[in-house]
Amino acid sequence: MKRRLAVAAVLILLTATASMPFATRVLPRIVQIAYEIERRDIVYSWGGGHAERPGPSKGTCTGYKGRIKPCPAAKTRGLDCSGFARWVYALAHGEDVLGPGNTNDHVRRMRRVDAAPVPGDLVFFGKITKKTVKTHHVGIYLGQGKMMNAPETGAVVRIDDISRVKDFAGFYRF
């Protein structure tokens, strides 16, 4: 029931913003797409979503430090957190605006949101300063302290509280 209400709210927001400029309309579209993807129960795969084109792909075991051993990523078609954000943003923008890189690469293509974040912004975790960009997770902000994300090996794309992940680094917008 909560999910239906959230989707209904997004649809109302999309209708209300239809005559606004593209940049204003794309953020609610990002949330709508994220909910559509979440319903597919796409599994987490370390490095998944980083093929030439956005979308689920087999992952890699290079750099894998997950709790499930042996690493299942090379045999698992799915998405990691930045692969999920990349795919959603590509669908919303009509092109691969974030590119195949990881969270560090993606945050460099964004601008920090200094005012109140809005649903569709990306929420990054790690350390981001003028000299250092060392992030480890990204999710799509849904509002009210929630995000949609691909959280970890053994999970599917899902909604979590932002507070579930340590090292909040800020909200960013393309």
Side-chain angles (χ1 to χ4, degrees):
M1 183 68 175
K2 286 183 183 179
R3 185 163 299 147
R4 285 185 186 168
L5 289 174
V7 171
V10 169
L11 292 175
I12 290 168
L13 188 57
L14 283 172
T15 303
T17 61
S19 63
M20 294 180 177
F22 177 76
T24 307
R25 288 191 325 243
V26 76
L27 290 170
R29 176 89 177 112
I30 289 166
V31 173
Q32 178 188 20
I33 291 167
Y35 274 104
E36 290 169 3
I37 291 172
E38 188 244 357
R39 284 189 295 249
R40 297 180 190 181
D41 289 330
I42 296 174
V43 298
Y44 181 94
S45 181
W46 178 264
H50 296 282
E52 184 177 329
R53 300 176 72 122
S57 65
K58 288 188 178 172
T60 178
C61 290
T62 303
Y64 176 79
K65 296 176 185 163
R67 60 180 169 74
I68 296 176
K69 306 290 186 203
C71 168
K75 297 177 182 176
T76 306
R77 183 174 166 81
L79 298 165
D80 68 9
C81 63
S82 55
F84 170 64
R86 175 189 182 204
W87 190 28
V88 171
Y89 265 59
L91 291 170
H93 287 274
E95 63 180 297
D96 187 9
V97 296
L98 296 181
N102 62 23
T103 56
N104 293 334
D105 300 313
H106 292 175
V107 76
R108 288 183 181 107
R109 292 181 177 98
M110 314 285 285
R111 62 181 165 79
R112 187 176 179 92
V113 175
D114 292 324
V118 297
D121 286 336
L122 293 182
V123 55
F124 284 88
F125 300 87
K127 184 176 182 180
I128 303 172
T129 67
K130 290 183 179 188
K131 295 181 179 183
T132 305
V133 175
K134 190 170 183 176
T135 57
H136 60 85
H137 191 64
V138 63
I140 296 173
Y141 183 59
L142 301 174
Q144 299 179 341
K146 304 281 186 193
M147 68 176 168
M148 182 92 57
N149 69 134
E152 61 196 355
T153 302
V156 296
V157 170
R158 68 182 189 209
I159 298 170
D160 283 317
D161 287 329
I162 290 172
S163 62
R164 180 189 166 279
V165 181
K166 305 297 181 228
D167 299 2
F168 171 78
F171 295 99
Y172 286 77
R173 188 174 299 154
F174 183 75

